[in-house]
Amino acid sequence: MKVNIKVVPSSKVDQVQSTIDGSLKVWLKAKPINGEANRALIKLLAKYYDVRQSMIKIISGESSKNKVVEVEK
């Protein structure tokens, strides 16, 4: 399944919130430097969807706050 995600890096907490349109808003403590935020996003989404990290891939938006992520289930 593909999920649209709005990422807010450098936050005080790691948190995932579902929005009305089915997308997610994700707050990450990690900074958007050297892919830290992307790695933290994959780790947090794996926990949120209860899947392995290898089952989550960022399809588009690697260097953007707006991302499309594919989750294999």
Side-chain angles (χ1 to χ4, degrees), residues 1-3 54-59 68-72:
M1 98 175 119
K2 292 183 182 177
V3 182
S54 62
M55 299 176 81
I56 297 177
K57 294 183 178 90
I58 298 174
I59 296 174
V68 177
V69 175
E70 184 170 14
V71 180
E72 295 178 31

Side-chain angles (χ1 to χ4, degrees), residues 2-6 19 21-25 66-69:
K2 292 183 182 177
V3 182
N4 291 318
I5 297 176
K6 166 88 172 166
T19 60
D21 64 357
S23 64
L24 296 176
K25 187 166 183 182
N66 297 312
K67 302 179 185 301
V68 177
V69 175

